[in-house]
Amino acid sequence: MTTNSLNVAVLGAGLIGLDLVEKIQTSPYLGCGLVVGRDPKTLGLRRAATLGCATSAGGVTALVGAGAFDVVLLPEPGAFRPG
């Protein structure tokens, strides 16, 4: 992560979360500060770690305890889309 990039946390290590992590890693404006899941054995957390992101299986508690982030992304498969 460069000094001018936004520090991003991703709360969710499923397929959508992993897709976001891969996009973050290719952006010159974003840096992956933390990927949080609930199960330490998930493919998403392992893949995020291989991409250079810090990871935690501590859920939202780990996110709150990890410090400040500029952006927190919550991957959600369309549950909040209108109509």
Side-chain angles (χ1 to χ4, degrees), residues 12-32:
L15 293 175
I16 297 171
L18 186 56
D19 183 56
L20 289 171
V21 168
E22 290 171 347
K23 286 175 173 57
I24 291 166
Q25 292 297 79
T26 61
S27 171
Y29 306 106
L30 304 174
C32 185

Side-chain angles (χ1 to χ4, degrees), residues 15-75:
L15 293 175
I16 297 171
L18 186 56
D19 183 56
L20 289 171
V21 168
E22 290 171 347
K23 286 175 173 57
I24 291 166
Q25 292 297 79
T26 61
S27 171
Y29 306 106
L30 304 174
C32 185
L34 181 64
V35 178
V36 179
R38 292 180 292 182
D39 183 352
K41 297 178 237 168
T42 61
L43 175 63
L45 286 179
R46 290 194 316 260
R47 176 75 178 128
T50 65
L51 291 171
C53 298
T55 62
S56 174
V60 72
T61 303
L63 176 65
V64 171
F69 295 93
D70 298 308
V71 178
V72 176
L73 299 174
L74 176 60

